[in-house]
Amino acid sequence: MDLNKNLQYIKGIGPKKYKKLNKLGIYTLKDLIYYFPRQYEDRSKFKKVFNLVNEEKVSIRGIITGFEKHEPKKKMIINKIQVRDDTGYIKLVFFNQKYIVNNFKVGDNIVAYGKVKKEYGKTELLNCEIEFDTKSASSIGKIVPIYPLTYGISNKELINIIQSVLKNQDLKIDEYIPMDIVNKNKLCDLNFAIKNIHNPQNIQNLKVALYRLVYEEFLILQLGLLYLKSGVVDKEGIKFDKKDGLKEIIESLPFSLTNAQRRSLDDILNDMNSNKVMNRLVQGDVGSGKTVVALLSLANAVLNSYQAAMMAPTEILAEQHFNSLQEILSKFDINIGLLVGSLTKKQKMAVLKKVKEGEIDILIGTHALIEDGVEFKKLGMVITDEQHRFGVRQRNKLSEKGDNPDILVMTATPIPRTLALILYGDLDISIIDELPPGRQIIDTFAIAKEKRLRAYNFVRSQIELGRQVYIVCPLVEESEVIKAKAAVDLLEELETEHFSDLRLELLHGKMKASNKDEIMKKFKNGEVDILVSTTVIEVGVNVPNATLMIIENAERFGLAQLHQLRGRVGRGEHKSYCILIYGSKNEVTFERMKTMEQTTDGFKISEKDLEIRGPGEFFGTRQHGLPELKIANIFKHMKILKEAQMEAQCIIQEDEKLNLDKNKMLKEEIINRFEEKLNDITLN
Ligand SMILES: Nc1ncnc2c1ncn2[C@@H]1O[C@H](COP(=O)(O)OP(=O)(O)OP(=O)(O)O)[C@@H](O)[C@H]1O
């Protein structure tokens, strides 16, 4: 049957209902049957009046014996319907709902659902729903689905619409998952699943249906991502040679590469050497030395007579990358340019001209890089250094400036593999899981806020040793203005009450870029003792002389975020410390603080964070970039996700392009659903 049929042409759905459904994003038959409840209320068991317990929510069944009407106040009418069953009497109470009550008369057999109130020997049912006691009662005596709704359509209305469509004998949905996979994973029939998700006969059926639909959604998602990666959209790319010049650059570095850096670089150079477009993610723990890997990849493109570009999430970072690259590559006659929002028009025009004429070999910048006016002479490679901050669209916009350039994505957030497969399932992954030698463990201490003064004494002792300190402000609402105010307040308190003799500076997102830059420079040059900052310093900032980080209200941050922040210290030869000051004292806070004290491995921390905080909060307040799913929940259904991921991998291994006959419908479904749901993830 054609599930793409517009609902307007379905019997029983007039223009009025159609319009209401549109508000929920429902247009076709498929939209409707795939509009899933967000939860259920179990109203399936009826109780006798005699057995009712105060405050419980129940379904009852009885016969109407009379009506009462009270008007305790103006404009307030309370109607009561007296009902009897074979064990006693009960009154159903309705506030200002005459229109419901008027549908019934004495002698009618009814079913009702509500909350029991027992007082002075009387029993009443509040917040009532009532229906005639027929087989078709839609929302009483059943497990009732509760749908996500918008204004203008009630849950009951939606239930009625969906039920009437489901009863339609013609509704037969074709199975598109190959039968061997259905059987192997014990998935129930698709029609059974759809019927039971909307109108579950019992809890067991509901579970079976839910499992199937969650599994299906994950399978399609993962398979779609793998399918994209598997070469279906492989574009012809540039074949870069491995140039000898690269060896020279590597030899000029002040250190030798770690094994993990070498491995990642090899992956990248092999990709670059193939004639397919590279789509690779380099995931590295804090301080693992991603920048140098990026630098060498960019240099390899330049040695092959191409231009390259690198996009960073903040200006501070872009400048830092610019400086590091400049330091190493200028000796090799490679020209680096910087393009950020804060340049004057004149400066910007000059950079753009040089980029267009090919005088700049490597352009570093913020999202200013993807603006329309930026044109390259011969762009061959792009790197985005991101923190779930750029969507695929932005990534693609940058790569469109070249002719199928190779793409490298760098992220400093260690994420568990399961999630990486979803967030970056369309990319090949290299992991830098080793810190450069000589790195010291950052000693981490969590203390209650009452002990803050001790921490401040420690700040002083570090500064006396010639070191520098970060103090990170409490995490407040995601508004830069409010964050800035919190930072200003904290600075004032520290300056007047604790460190009036030291050099303090402030850094927050609301400051003019040139100010930020100036302060960062001063901090780098050792002209500032304490940098009071919001989380703008979270990613990438590299000041080796800073050895102590204090984080206020540490319990408000995600563990992954704390780990990133902590990674700002311990970047040089000096022993480094992180003090987490927490304000609330509950189990979860203690457990999270303990994790930070005990572990410095970003991957372990992120696993733990996921475990402790669970749904939604894992990525902190940050935009997480996870795809929107209709029924599956990446956190709640982690086990099913893993199973579906494994299956997806098997399917692709057997039939990379999904050309086998048995996978034909699956492929169609993926293409359909991907277009609709995963716009943000497709690579074209
Ligand atoms: N193999 C190495 N041996 C010694 N030092 C290294 C090595 N690789 C990088 N470094 C140095 O380590 C520091 C951190 O490197 P880098 O800034 O690239 O880290 P990162 O992975 O980007 O970290 P973060 O995600 O925290 O920004 C830099 O000072 C860099 O010069």
Side-chain angles (χ1 to χ4, degrees), residues 254-258 261 284-292 317 320-321 385 412 436-437 439 538-542 544 564 567-568 571:
F255 45 74
S256 45
L257 297 178
T258 63
Q261 283 170 322
D285 204 348
V286 175
S288 59
K290 289 177 291 295
T291 317
V292 72
L317 265 183
Q320 194 175 284
H321 288 324
D385 176 6
R439 279 293 161 74
E538 180 184 341
V539 216
V541 171
N542 193 30
Q564 280 297 324
R568 297 315 106 215
R571 300 176 82 91

PDB file of all heavy atoms in Angstrom, residues 254-258 261 284-292 317 320-321 385 412 436-437 439 538-542 544 564 567-568 571, ligand 1:
ATOM      1  N   PRO A 254      60.628  20.336  16.973  1.00  0.00           N
ATOM      2  CA  PRO A 254      61.456  20.275  18.178  1.00  0.00           C
ATOM      3  C   PRO A 254      61.255  18.977  18.969  1.00  0.00           C
ATOM      4  O   PRO A 254      61.816  18.800  20.034  1.00  0.00           O
ATOM      5  CB  PRO A 254      60.967  21.479  18.994  1.00  0.00           C
ATOM      6  CG  PRO A 254      59.609  21.781  18.479  1.00  0.00           C
ATOM      7  CD  PRO A 254      59.564  21.339  17.061  1.00  0.00           C
ATOM      8  N   PHE A 255      60.450  18.089  18.466  1.00  0.00           N
ATOM      9  CA  PHE A 255      60.215  16.808  19.167  1.00  0.00           C
ATOM     10  C   PHE A 255      59.988  15.738  18.108  1.00  0.00           C
ATOM     11  O   PHE A 255      59.766  16.049  16.930  1.00  0.00           O
ATOM     12  CB  PHE A 255      58.999  16.903  20.083  1.00  0.00           C
ATOM     13  CG  PHE A 255      57.817  17.583  19.441  1.00  0.00           C
ATOM     14  CD1 PHE A 255      57.055  16.936  18.482  1.00  0.00           C
ATOM     15  CD2 PHE A 255      57.472  18.891  19.790  1.00  0.00           C
ATOM     16  CE1 PHE A 255      55.981  17.555  17.880  1.00  0.00           C
ATOM     17  CE2 PHE A 255      56.395  19.526  19.188  1.00  0.00           C
ATOM     18  CZ  PHE A 255      55.647  18.853  18.234  1.00  0.00           C
ATOM     19  N   SER A 256      60.062  14.462  18.537  1.00  0.00           N
ATOM     20  CA  SER A 256      59.681  13.450  17.543  1.00  0.00           C
ATOM     21  C   SER A 256      58.227  13.047  17.784  1.00  0.00           C
ATOM     22  O   SER A 256      57.736  13.106  18.918  1.00  0.00           O
ATOM     23  CB  SER A 256      60.616  12.243  17.602  1.00  0.00           C
ATOM     24  OG  SER A 256      60.812  11.891  18.936  1.00  0.00           O
ATOM     25  N   LEU A 257      57.575  12.638  16.733  1.00  0.00           N
ATOM     26  CA  LEU A 257      56.148  12.329  16.834  1.00  0.00           C
ATOM     27  C   LEU A 257      55.915  11.105  17.713  1.00  0.00           C
ATOM     28  O   LEU A 257      56.737  10.189  17.734  1.00  0.00           O
ATOM     29  CB  LEU A 257      55.576  12.049  15.437  1.00  0.00           C
ATOM     30  CG  LEU A 257      55.620  13.201  14.427  1.00  0.00           C
ATOM     31  CD1 LEU A 257      55.063  12.740  13.079  1.00  0.00           C
ATOM     32  CD2 LEU A 257      54.814  14.391  14.945  1.00  0.00           C
ATOM     33  N   THR A 258      54.800  11.103  18.398  1.00  0.00           N
ATOM     34  CA  THR A 258      54.449   9.897  19.157  1.00  0.00           C
ATOM     35  C   THR A 258      53.961   8.847  18.164  1.00  0.00           C
ATOM     36  O   THR A 258      53.617   9.170  17.019  1.00  0.00           O
ATOM     37  CB  THR A 258      53.314  10.168  20.170  1.00  0.00           C
ATOM     38  OG1 THR A 258      52.147  10.555  19.422  1.00  0.00           O
ATOM     39  CG2 THR A 258      53.677  11.259  21.145  1.00  0.00           C
ATOM     40  N   GLN A 261      50.564   9.688  16.909  1.00  0.00           N
ATOM     41  CA  GLN A 261      50.576  10.753  15.899  1.00  0.00           C
ATOM     42  C   GLN A 261      51.007  10.197  14.543  1.00  0.00           C
ATOM     43  O   GLN A 261      50.431  10.521  13.508  1.00  0.00           O
ATOM     44  CB  GLN A 261      51.541  11.881  16.326  1.00  0.00           C
ATOM     45  CG  GLN A 261      50.971  12.786  17.409  1.00  0.00           C
ATOM     46  CD  GLN A 261      52.028  13.731  17.968  1.00  0.00           C
ATOM     47  OE1 GLN A 261      53.193  13.351  18.143  1.00  0.00           O
ATOM     48  NE2 GLN A 261      51.622  14.954  18.279  1.00  0.00           N
ATOM     49  N   GLY A 284      41.335  13.068  19.238  1.00  0.00           N
ATOM     50  CA  GLY A 284      42.501  12.956  20.100  1.00  0.00           C
ATOM     51  C   GLY A 284      42.193  13.490  21.473  1.00  0.00           C
ATOM     52  O   GLY A 284      41.431  14.442  21.628  1.00  0.00           O
ATOM     53  N   ASP A 285      42.769  12.871  22.454  1.00  0.00           N
ATOM     54  CA  ASP A 285      42.536  13.344  23.804  1.00  0.00           C
ATOM     55  C   ASP A 285      43.223  14.700  23.978  1.00  0.00           C
ATOM     56  O   ASP A 285      44.102  15.080  23.208  1.00  0.00           O
ATOM     57  CB  ASP A 285      43.092  12.319  24.795  1.00  0.00           C
ATOM     58  CG  ASP A 285      42.399  12.446  26.144  1.00  0.00           C
ATOM     59  OD1 ASP A 285      41.689  13.444  26.366  1.00  0.00           O
ATOM     60  OD2 ASP A 285      42.574  11.535  26.981  1.00  0.00           O
ATOM     61  N   VAL A 286      42.797  15.389  25.025  1.00  0.00           N
ATOM     62  CA  VAL A 286      43.359  16.692  25.341  1.00  0.00           C
ATOM     63  C   VAL A 286      44.889  16.634  25.366  1.00  0.00           C
ATOM     64  O   VAL A 286      45.461  15.766  26.016  1.00  0.00           O
ATOM     65  CB  VAL A 286      42.859  17.106  26.734  1.00  0.00           C
ATOM     66  CG1 VAL A 286      43.508  18.389  27.181  1.00  0.00           C
ATOM     67  CG2 VAL A 286      41.357  17.246  26.710  1.00  0.00           C
ATOM     68  N   GLY A 287      45.511  17.554  24.645  1.00  0.00           N
ATOM     69  CA  GLY A 287      46.969  17.658  24.698  1.00  0.00           C
ATOM     70  C   GLY A 287      47.723  16.567  23.967  1.00  0.00           C
ATOM     71  O   GLY A 287      48.930  16.420  24.119  1.00  0.00           O
ATOM     72  N   SER A 288      47.018  15.761  23.169  1.00  0.00           N
ATOM     73  CA  SER A 288      47.686  14.624  22.532  1.00  0.00           C
ATOM     74  C   SER A 288      48.492  15.051  21.309  1.00  0.00           C
ATOM     75  O   SER A 288      49.176  14.240  20.702  1.00  0.00           O
ATOM     76  CB  SER A 288      46.659  13.568  22.133  1.00  0.00           C
ATOM     77  OG  SER A 288      45.731  14.134  21.242  1.00  0.00           O
ATOM     78  N   GLY A 289      48.368  16.332  20.955  1.00  0.00           N
ATOM     79  CA  GLY A 289      49.179  16.838  19.844  1.00  0.00           C
ATOM     80  C   GLY A 289      48.517  16.686  18.488  1.00  0.00           C
ATOM     81  O   GLY A 289      49.119  16.176  17.538  1.00  0.00           O
ATOM     82  N   LYS A 290      47.283  17.166  18.412  1.00  0.00           N
ATOM     83  CA  LYS A 290      46.571  17.086  17.135  1.00  0.00           C
ATOM     84  C   LYS A 290      47.075  18.131  16.146  1.00  0.00           C
ATOM     85  O   LYS A 290      47.096  17.909  14.949  1.00  0.00           O
ATOM     86  CB  LYS A 290      45.067  17.312  17.350  1.00  0.00           C
ATOM     87  CG  LYS A 290      44.388  16.162  18.054  1.00  0.00           C
ATOM     88  CD  LYS A 290      42.931  16.452  18.299  1.00  0.00           C
ATOM     89  CE  LYS A 290      42.713  17.540  19.323  1.00  0.00           C
ATOM     90  NZ  LYS A 290      43.150  17.215  20.675  1.00  0.00           N
ATOM     91  N   THR A 291      47.472  19.284  16.709  1.00  0.00           N
ATOM     92  CA  THR A 291      47.809  20.391  15.811  1.00  0.00           C
ATOM     93  C   THR A 291      48.939  20.029  14.857  1.00  0.00           C
ATOM     94  O   THR A 291      48.881  20.358  13.676  1.00  0.00           O
ATOM     95  CB  THR A 291      48.236  21.629  16.641  1.00  0.00           C
ATOM     96  OG1 THR A 291      47.329  21.749  17.731  1.00  0.00           O
ATOM     97  CG2 THR A 291      48.187  22.876  15.816  1.00  0.00           C
ATOM     98  N   VAL A 292      49.916  19.324  15.372  1.00  0.00           N
ATOM     99  CA  VAL A 292      51.059  19.024  14.516  1.00  0.00           C
ATOM    100  C   VAL A 292      50.666  18.044  13.404  1.00  0.00           C
ATOM    101  O   VAL A 292      51.154  18.116  12.279  1.00  0.00           O
ATOM    102  CB  VAL A 292      52.272  18.543  15.357  1.00  0.00           C
ATOM    103  CG1 VAL A 292      52.048  17.160  15.908  1.00  0.00           C
ATOM    104  CG2 VAL A 292      53.529  18.605  14.535  1.00  0.00           C
ATOM    105  N   LEU A 317      41.602  30.360  19.028  1.00  0.00           N
ATOM    106  CA  LEU A 317      42.206  29.141  18.503  1.00  0.00           C
ATOM    107  C   LEU A 317      42.778  29.316  17.117  1.00  0.00           C
ATOM    108  O   LEU A 317      43.860  28.812  16.809  1.00  0.00           O
ATOM    109  CB  LEU A 317      41.149  28.051  18.446  1.00  0.00           C
ATOM    110  CG  LEU A 317      41.101  27.144  19.627  1.00  0.00           C
ATOM    111  CD1 LEU A 317      40.061  26.070  19.399  1.00  0.00           C
ATOM    112  CD2 LEU A 317      42.469  26.485  19.803  1.00  0.00           C
ATOM    113  N   GLN A 320      45.981  30.952  17.427  1.00  0.00           N
ATOM    114  CA  GLN A 320      46.985  30.069  17.983  1.00  0.00           C
ATOM    115  C   GLN A 320      47.516  29.112  16.915  1.00  0.00           C
ATOM    116  O   GLN A 320      48.720  28.915  16.780  1.00  0.00           O
ATOM    117  CB  GLN A 320      46.345  29.293  19.122  1.00  0.00           C
ATOM    118  CG  GLN A 320      47.334  28.603  19.997  1.00  0.00           C
ATOM    119  CD  GLN A 320      46.618  27.971  21.168  1.00  0.00           C
ATOM    120  OE1 GLN A 320      46.222  28.653  22.111  1.00  0.00           O
ATOM    121  NE2 GLN A 320      46.427  26.680  21.085  1.00  0.00           N
ATOM    122  N   HIS A 321      46.588  28.556  16.137  1.00  0.00           N
ATOM    123  CA  HIS A 321      47.019  27.672  15.051  1.00  0.00           C
ATOM    124  C   HIS A 321      47.891  28.444  14.067  1.00  0.00           C
ATOM    125  O   HIS A 321      48.899  27.935  13.594  1.00  0.00           O
ATOM    126  CB  HIS A 321      45.810  27.114  14.304  1.00  0.00           C
ATOM    127  CG  HIS A 321      45.044  26.086  15.075  1.00  0.00           C
ATOM    128  ND1 HIS A 321      45.639  25.182  15.913  1.00  0.00           N
ATOM    129  CD2 HIS A 321      43.728  25.793  15.121  1.00  0.00           C
ATOM    130  CE1 HIS A 321      44.722  24.392  16.440  1.00  0.00           C
ATOM    131  NE2 HIS A 321      43.549  24.752  15.978  1.00  0.00           N
ATOM    132  N   ASP A 385      38.576  22.101  12.678  1.00  0.00           N
ATOM    133  CA  ASP A 385      38.956  21.742  14.042  1.00  0.00           C
ATOM    134  C   ASP A 385      37.730  22.046  14.874  1.00  0.00           C
ATOM    135  O   ASP A 385      37.378  23.193  15.068  1.00  0.00           O
ATOM    136  CB  ASP A 385      40.136  22.627  14.457  1.00  0.00           C
ATOM    137  CG  ASP A 385      40.528  22.376  15.901  1.00  0.00           C
ATOM    138  OD1 ASP A 385      39.978  21.465  16.528  1.00  0.00           O
ATOM    139  OD2 ASP A 385      41.389  23.120  16.402  1.00  0.00           O
ATOM    140  N   ALA A 412      38.543  17.288  19.765  1.00  0.00           N
ATOM    141  CA  ALA A 412      39.264  17.060  21.011  1.00  0.00           C
ATOM    142  C   ALA A 412      38.356  16.418  22.034  1.00  0.00           C
ATOM    143  O   ALA A 412      38.748  16.204  23.166  1.00  0.00           O
ATOM    144  CB  ALA A 412      39.792  18.378  21.547  1.00  0.00           C
ATOM    145  N   PRO A 436      52.235  13.018  24.481  1.00  0.00           N
ATOM    146  CA  PRO A 436      53.675  13.128  24.255  1.00  0.00           C
ATOM    147  C   PRO A 436      54.436  12.745  25.519  1.00  0.00           C
ATOM    148  O   PRO A 436      53.927  12.933  26.627  1.00  0.00           O
ATOM    149  CB  PRO A 436      53.874  14.610  23.942  1.00  0.00           C
ATOM    150  CG  PRO A 436      52.564  15.091  23.442  1.00  0.00           C
ATOM    151  CD  PRO A 436      51.536  14.269  24.153  1.00  0.00           C
ATOM    152  N   PRO A 437      55.655  12.199  25.343  1.00  0.00           N
ATOM    153  CA  PRO A 437      56.395  11.725  26.518  1.00  0.00           C
ATOM    154  C   PRO A 437      56.714  12.876  27.477  1.00  0.00           C
ATOM    155  O   PRO A 437      56.784  14.036  27.069  1.00  0.00           O
ATOM    156  CB  PRO A 437      57.676  11.156  25.917  1.00  0.00           C
ATOM    157  CG  PRO A 437      57.770  11.711  24.545  1.00  0.00           C
ATOM    158  CD  PRO A 437      56.388  12.015  24.096  1.00  0.00           C
ATOM    159  N   ARG A 439      54.875  14.070  29.716  1.00  0.00           N
ATOM    160  CA  ARG A 439      53.707  14.771  30.250  1.00  0.00           C
ATOM    161  C   ARG A 439      53.424  14.271  31.654  1.00  0.00           C
ATOM    162  O   ARG A 439      53.493  13.080  31.927  1.00  0.00           O
ATOM    163  CB  ARG A 439      52.466  14.470  29.399  1.00  0.00           C
ATOM    164  CG  ARG A 439      52.356  15.273  28.180  1.00  0.00           C
ATOM    165  CD  ARG A 439      52.118  16.732  28.499  1.00  0.00           C
ATOM    166  NE  ARG A 439      52.455  17.541  27.353  1.00  0.00           N
ATOM    167  CZ  ARG A 439      51.689  17.596  26.277  1.00  0.00           C
ATOM    168  NH1 ARG A 439      50.573  16.925  26.235  1.00  0.00           N
ATOM    169  NH2 ARG A 439      52.051  18.327  25.271  1.00  0.00           N
ATOM    170  N   GLU A 538      38.114  26.905  26.829  1.00  0.00           N
ATOM    171  CA  GLU A 538      37.954  25.454  26.928  1.00  0.00           C
ATOM    172  C   GLU A 538      38.766  24.638  25.927  1.00  0.00           C
ATOM    173  O   GLU A 538      39.399  23.656  26.278  1.00  0.00           O
ATOM    174  CB  GLU A 538      36.468  25.166  26.750  1.00  0.00           C
ATOM    175  CG  GLU A 538      36.073  23.738  26.806  1.00  0.00           C
ATOM    176  CD  GLU A 538      34.588  23.625  26.525  1.00  0.00           C
ATOM    177  OE1 GLU A 538      33.870  24.643  26.649  1.00  0.00           O
ATOM    178  OE2 GLU A 538      34.168  22.552  26.165  1.00  0.00           O
ATOM    179  N   VAL A 539      38.696  25.032  24.690  1.00  0.00           N
ATOM    180  CA  VAL A 539      39.353  24.193  23.681  1.00  0.00           C
ATOM    181  C   VAL A 539      40.687  24.764  23.239  1.00  0.00           C
ATOM    182  O   VAL A 539      40.799  25.947  22.942  1.00  0.00           O
ATOM    183  CB  VAL A 539      38.505  24.100  22.389  1.00  0.00           C
ATOM    184  CG1 VAL A 539      38.629  22.730  21.803  1.00  0.00           C
ATOM    185  CG2 VAL A 539      37.108  24.540  22.612  1.00  0.00           C
ATOM    186  N   GLY A 540      41.662  23.888  23.206  1.00  0.00           N
ATOM    187  CA  GLY A 540      42.872  24.197  22.457  1.00  0.00           C
ATOM    188  C   GLY A 540      43.872  25.184  22.999  1.00  0.00           C
ATOM    189  O   GLY A 540      45.012  25.171  22.576  1.00  0.00           O
ATOM    190  N   VAL A 541      43.491  26.047  23.937  1.00  0.00           N
ATOM    191  CA  VAL A 541      44.432  27.098  24.345  1.00  0.00           C
ATOM    192  C   VAL A 541      45.686  26.465  24.949  1.00  0.00           C
ATOM    193  O   VAL A 541      45.610  25.542  25.756  1.00  0.00           O
ATOM    194  CB  VAL A 541      43.756  28.060  25.356  1.00  0.00           C
ATOM    195  CG1 VAL A 541      44.775  29.002  25.950  1.00  0.00           C
ATOM    196  CG2 VAL A 541      42.653  28.826  24.667  1.00  0.00           C
ATOM    197  N   ASN A 542      46.837  26.975  24.553  1.00  0.00           N
ATOM    198  CA  ASN A 542      48.089  26.321  24.912  1.00  0.00           C
ATOM    199  C   ASN A 542      49.071  27.316  25.533  1.00  0.00           C
ATOM    200  O   ASN A 542      49.723  28.071  24.833  1.00  0.00           O
ATOM    201  CB  ASN A 542      48.685  25.716  23.625  1.00  0.00           C
ATOM    202  CG  ASN A 542      49.804  24.753  23.916  1.00  0.00           C
ATOM    203  OD1 ASN A 542      49.816  24.104  24.965  1.00  0.00           O
ATOM    204  ND2 ASN A 542      50.766  24.660  23.017  1.00  0.00           N
ATOM    205  N   PRO A 544      52.040  26.880  28.135  1.00  0.00           N
ATOM    206  CA  PRO A 544      52.739  25.882  28.959  1.00  0.00           C
ATOM    207  C   PRO A 544      53.113  26.360  30.371  1.00  0.00           C
ATOM    208  O   PRO A 544      53.270  25.535  31.268  1.00  0.00           O
ATOM    209  CB  PRO A 544      53.997  25.582  28.142  1.00  0.00           C
ATOM    210  CG  PRO A 544      53.654  25.962  26.744  1.00  0.00           C
ATOM    211  CD  PRO A 544      52.690  27.094  26.841  1.00  0.00           C
ATOM    212  N   GLN A 564      38.316  18.863  29.289  1.00  0.00           N
ATOM    213  CA  GLN A 564      38.862  19.815  28.311  1.00  0.00           C
ATOM    214  C   GLN A 564      39.503  21.009  29.005  1.00  0.00           C
ATOM    215  O   GLN A 564      40.592  21.445  28.656  1.00  0.00           O
ATOM    216  CB  GLN A 564      37.731  20.370  27.435  1.00  0.00           C
ATOM    217  CG  GLN A 564      37.302  19.459  26.329  1.00  0.00           C
ATOM    218  CD  GLN A 564      38.423  19.230  25.371  1.00  0.00           C
ATOM    219  OE1 GLN A 564      39.211  20.135  25.096  1.00  0.00           O
ATOM    220  NE2 GLN A 564      38.537  18.020  24.875  1.00  0.00           N
ATOM    221  N   GLY A 567      42.647  20.287  30.671  1.00  0.00           N
ATOM    222  CA  GLY A 567      43.711  20.092  29.694  1.00  0.00           C
ATOM    223  C   GLY A 567      44.460  21.361  29.342  1.00  0.00           C
ATOM    224  O   GLY A 567      45.459  21.325  28.632  1.00  0.00           O
ATOM    225  N   ARG A 568      43.991  22.507  29.832  1.00  0.00           N
ATOM    226  CA  ARG A 568      44.727  23.753  29.580  1.00  0.00           C
ATOM    227  C   ARG A 568      45.986  23.828  30.424  1.00  0.00           C
ATOM    228  O   ARG A 568      46.854  24.656  30.166  1.00  0.00           O
ATOM    229  CB  ARG A 568      43.865  24.993  29.877  1.00  0.00           C
ATOM    230  CG  ARG A 568      42.628  25.208  29.044  1.00  0.00           C
ATOM    231  CD  ARG A 568      42.868  24.998  27.587  1.00  0.00           C
ATOM    232  NE  ARG A 568      42.277  23.749  27.151  1.00  0.00           N
ATOM    233  CZ  ARG A 568      42.801  22.966  26.222  1.00  0.00           C
ATOM    234  NH1 ARG A 568      43.926  23.258  25.651  1.00  0.00           N
ATOM    235  NH2 ARG A 568      42.192  21.858  25.873  1.00  0.00           N
ATOM    236  N   ARG A 571      50.751  21.477  30.274  1.00  0.00           N
ATOM    237  CA  ARG A 571      51.196  21.459  28.884  1.00  0.00           C
ATOM    238  C   ARG A 571      52.673  21.819  28.745  1.00  0.00           C
ATOM    239  O   ARG A 571      53.171  22.020  27.656  1.00  0.00           O
ATOM    240  CB  ARG A 571      50.327  22.403  28.051  1.00  0.00           C
ATOM    241  CG  ARG A 571      48.862  21.996  28.077  1.00  0.00           C
ATOM    242  CD  ARG A 571      48.002  22.973  27.337  1.00  0.00           C
ATOM    243  NE  ARG A 571      48.018  22.747  25.909  1.00  0.00           N
ATOM    244  CZ  ARG A 571      47.160  21.973  25.249  1.00  0.00           C
ATOM    245  NH1 ARG A 571      46.210  21.355  25.902  1.00  0.00           N
ATOM    246  NH2 ARG A 571      47.243  21.834  23.958  1.00  0.00           N
TER     247      ARG A 571
HETATM  248  N1  LIG B   1      55.232  14.338  19.899  1.00  0.00           N
HETATM  249  C1  LIG B   1      55.299  15.388  20.722  1.00  0.00           C
HETATM  250  N2  LIG B   1      56.271  15.441  21.659  1.00  0.00           N
HETATM  251  C2  LIG B   1      56.371  16.494  22.494  1.00  0.00           C
HETATM  252  N3  LIG B   1      55.531  17.538  22.491  1.00  0.00           N
HETATM  253  C3  LIG B   1      54.521  17.530  21.598  1.00  0.00           C
HETATM  254  C4  LIG B   1      54.372  16.469  20.674  1.00  0.00           C
HETATM  255  N4  LIG B   1      53.296  16.728  19.901  1.00  0.00           N
HETATM  256  C5  LIG B   1      52.805  17.905  20.326  1.00  0.00           C
HETATM  257  N5  LIG B   1      53.540  18.403  21.330  1.00  0.00           N
HETATM  258  C6  LIG B   1      53.312  19.646  22.066  1.00  0.00           C
HETATM  259  O1  LIG B   1      52.208  19.405  22.932  1.00  0.00           O
HETATM  260  C7  LIG B   1      51.423  20.567  23.099  1.00  0.00           C
HETATM  261  C8  LIG B   1      49.984  20.253  22.786  1.00  0.00           C
HETATM  262  O2  LIG B   1      49.804  19.995  21.448  1.00  0.00           O
HETATM  263  P1  LIG B   1      48.501  20.453  20.710  1.00  0.00           P
HETATM  264  O3  LIG B   1      48.185  21.844  21.046  1.00  0.00           O
HETATM  265  O4  LIG B   1      48.577  20.021  19.316  1.00  0.00           O
HETATM  266  O5  LIG B   1      47.493  19.520  21.455  1.00  0.00           O
HETATM  267  P2  LIG B   1      46.006  19.214  21.118  1.00  0.00           P
HETATM  268  O6  LIG B   1      45.881  17.779  20.841  1.00  0.00           O
HETATM  269  O7  LIG B   1      45.540  20.176  20.100  1.00  0.00           O
HETATM  270  O8  LIG B   1      45.363  19.473  22.522  1.00  0.00           O
HETATM  271  P3  LIG B   1      44.028  20.218  22.936  1.00  0.00           P
HETATM  272  O9  LIG B   1      42.959  19.394  22.409  1.00  0.00           O
HETATM  273  O10 LIG B   1      44.143  20.202  24.382  1.00  0.00           O
HETATM  274  O11 LIG B   1      44.160  21.543  22.334  1.00  0.00           O
HETATM  275  C9  LIG B   1      52.015  21.612  22.188  1.00  0.00           C
HETATM  276  O12 LIG B   1      52.812  22.462  22.970  1.00  0.00           O
HETATM  277  C10 LIG B   1      52.877  20.812  21.231  1.00  0.00           C
HETATM  278  O13 LIG B   1      53.978  21.532  20.770  1.00  0.00           O
END
